[in-house]
Amino acid sequence: MAPARPTVEELFSAHANFVWRNLRRFGVRSADLEDVTHDVFLVAHRKYPDWDGAHERAWLFAIARRCASAYRRRAHRTREIQVDEVPDLGVEGDPSTRAELERLDRALAMLDEDKRNVLLLYETESMSMREVAIALGCLLPTAYARLYAARRELARAFREPR
């Protein structure tokens, strides 16, 4: 017997932080993150009857990516200013740690979007490669190739002098 699908409320409780983090990565302004996160779950509620119940985070990631894209289009029409860099989030402590985090941010910014998404979903969100491939709408071997290429490019960036 197949396990019961979680309700939209259960999805929200379990994955709201995941959606929020990814929306931030997709360029949604901090002031709008809560609203766009709710938009994602409104879309999930609307599409719930068509969802097969598999790969919750991959399904929500795909919805979040489309909502972030719509958000960026709306922001352009409303004359909001998009920024190229995420503002300083107040990382305190050791200056060398801050420097390494800034170096990592620059290296991630150098990756193309496909490679960066695979790397971040796999490494920071702990999604399986199957879930990553589903979320990004690519074949599993393609996802593995992008992960390998992203790791190789990051390693190269960290071997080069600052």
Side-chain angles (χ1 to χ4, degrees):
M1 187 167 164
R5 288 192 317 178
T7 66
V8 175
E9 293 82 9
E10 292 168 337
L11 287 172
F12 182 84
S13 295
H15 302 295
N17 288 336
F18 166 79
V19 168
W20 187 89
R21 283 190 308 271
N22 282 288
L23 289 171
R24 190 175 78 193
R25 286 187 198 123
F26 289 140
V28 174
R29 289 183 23 203
S30 295
D32 298 326
L33 280 169
E34 187 174 334
D35 290 338
V36 181
T37 299
H38 285 117
D39 290 346
V40 169
F41 286 97
L42 287 173
V43 171
H45 183 316
R46 201 169 51 247
K47 297 195 175 283
Y48 186 80
D50 300 326
W51 176 47
D52 65 4
H55 309 290
E56 305 168 0
R57 291 191 313 162
W59 182 61
L60 290 170
F61 178 84
I63 294 171
R65 187 168 56 173
R66 287 189 298 276
C67 286
S69 177
Y71 166 84
R72 289 189 305 270
R73 284 192 305 275
R74 279 192 316 269
H76 175 71
R77 283 196 308 269
T78 59
R79 308 290 188 249
E80 293 178 2
I81 299 170
Q82 296 288 320
V83 295
D84 291 330
E85 294 182 33
V86 177
D88 182 17
L89 298 177
V91 177
E92 303 283 331
D94 185 7
S96 65
T97 302
R98 178 185 286 272
E100 288 300 313
L101 287 173
E102 289 171 358
R103 190 173 180 199
L104 176 60
D105 284 342
R106 285 191 305 275
L108 287 171
M110 299 290 288
L111 296 174
D112 67 53
E113 184 178 359
D114 291 334
K115 292 175 191 168
R116 185 174 47 249
N117 283 339
V118 168
L119 181 75
L120 291 174
L121 288 175
Y122 182 74
E123 296 292 348
T124 65
E125 298 298 341
S126 302
M127 290 175 73
S128 72
M129 285 305 290
R130 181 181 169 95
E131 288 179 308
V132 170
I134 291 168
L136 298 176
C138 67
L139 298 173
L140 185 59
T142 303
Y144 273 110
R146 289 176 183 169
L147 177 64
Y148 175 76
R151 286 176 171 169
R152 189 178 60 233
E153 289 179 32
L154 278 180
R156 186 178 318 125
F158 278 91
R159 278 193 305 270
E160 294 174 358
R162 297 178 195 198

